[in-house]
Every structure is written in C-alpha cells, then in structure tokens.
Amino acid sequence: MTQQSPDRQAKILRGVLEKYPANNESRRKFLPTIEAWVRQLEGAPVVDSPKAIESMSAVVRQALVDAENLIRTSGPASAVDRVHTALHGHVKALCDAAGIALPDRPTLQVAVKRLRENHPLLVPTGERAGEVSRILYSMAATLDALTTLRNNATAAHPNESLLGDHEALLAINSARTVFAYLDSKVQA
C-alpha cells in the first residue's frame, strides 16, 4: 500500500473501515488509530478528539461520537455544532463536580470563565503564569467566536452559507484544544 499516493492510501483505509466495521471491542480499539492515519494522509491537521471518560455525561459522549462520524461522513462543518455541544456540556459538568455555581442556561463562555476563575487546579502557576493566563483569556475569545460560528455558519440553524472545511477544522481544533487542556488539569 505504501506505493500508493497518500490520498489513495486514505481511500483504501476508508474502504477497509467500511468493509470491516468496528462492531466488536478488538476492532473498536484500533479505530481511532486508523482514523488518525486517514486524517494524516488527507493532510487534515486535526487535534485528537477528547477520549470519553466515565465521568462524562451520556450526552457529551454521544456528541463526541456524533462529531467524529460527521467529520468522516459529512465533513467538518457538520461537526462544529456537536463539538460545541460536547465542550459546553463537559464544562458545565466540571463546574457542577467542583461545586462552582452557574446561572441558569449559561453560555459556553460563561461556564468556561467560571470554571477557569474558580477551579483550584486551573490557576496558572510557575514562572510563566502570566503568559498562560493570557492564552486562557485569548481562548475565551476563541470560544465566543466558536459559538457565533456554530449559530451562524453551520447546520445547527438554517443558515444560508456554511463554514469551509479548513475553517471548520480550525473551530473544531480550537474546541478540542480547550477540552484537552481542561481535562489534563482537572482530571489529573
């Protein structure tokens, strides 16, 4: 297979996944690796999807699964809403687990801000705490833009024009980066 072009290798791997679906545990454990190979071969820079953990709600886990399926079958623009939903639900659950009060129906940005400001494990420390704080505050603006894109440039609502694949991947990768950072700090 290595004699084939990268796009042809990706098509071959997709064909293998279609012909032999991950319908048992031994196949499911290899699925993320094969999907990552396909993304690499297709040249799509993708931050790994968060790994489902037992403390995640069923809604968050399902949104992550839906996002992966949509990226693969319908394209990244279709998955932005599901990634947004997964991050929003997960952040709300992290706040709840830490006893951090949220208003009724908090936005993603409000929930992340409350979590960042009130969770003891999210206080930046060390020599570069200032720069880390600046990155976190910048990510808040990113999440605000993610919400706007979700509402105005995806199929989450009847919008006339949708995000392009590259822009949708940027939004997805941004959300996944925040997801990974929060989990690495809070679940440690």
Side-chain angles (χ1 to χ4, degrees), residues 33 35 58 63 66 73 87 96 102 115-116 118 156 166 174 179:
T33 301
E35 288 173 341
D66 290 349
T73 60
L87 181 59
D96 187 50
L102 292 173
L115 183 67
R116 188 184 70 236
N118 296 293
H166 298 285
S174 297
F179 215 122

Side-chain angles (χ1 to χ4, degrees), residues 156-179:
H157 298 288
N159 295 303
E160 301 226 358
S161 62
L162 302 179
L163 283 172
D165 285 351
H166 298 285
E167 291 74 19
L169 280 173
L170 175 64
I172 289 167
N173 287 338
S174 297
R176 286 177 171 176
T177 297
V178 171
F179 215 122

Side-chain angles (χ1 to χ4, degrees), residues 47-50 64 67 79-88 90-91 108 112 139 142-147 149-150 167-183:
V47 174
D48 283 339
S49 179
L64 291 172
V80 171
D81 171 57
R82 305 315 305 146
V83 170
H84 180 279
T85 296
L87 181 59
H88 194 179
H90 191 54
V91 169
L108 173 59
V112 169
M139 292 307 283
T142 300
L143 295 178
D144 183 46
L146 173 67
T147 299
L149 289 173
R150 175 207 175 258
E167 291 74 19
L169 280 173
L170 175 64
I172 289 167
N173 287 338
S174 297
R176 286 177 171 176
T177 297
V178 171
F179 215 122
Y181 175 75
L182 292 176
D183 274 357

Side-chain angles (χ1 to χ4, degrees), residues 95-164:
C95 286
D96 187 50
I100 299 169
L102 292 173
D104 288 341
R105 302 183 56 79
T107 64
L108 173 59
Q109 303 86 292
V110 166
V112 169
K113 181 178 182 184
R114 293 269 176 97
L115 183 67
R116 188 184 70 236
E117 290 175 347
N118 296 293
H119 200 292
L121 296 176
L122 291 173
V123 176
T125 58
E127 287 183 42
R128 299 293 178 205
E131 287 86 354
V132 171
S133 290
R134 284 184 27 222
I135 290 172
L136 291 173
Y137 284 110
S138 296
M139 292 307 283
T142 300
L143 295 178
D144 183 46
L146 173 67
T147 299
T148 301
L149 289 173
R150 175 207 175 258
N151 291 336
N152 300 302
T154 73
H157 298 288
N159 295 303
E160 301 226 358
S161 62
L162 302 179
L163 283 172

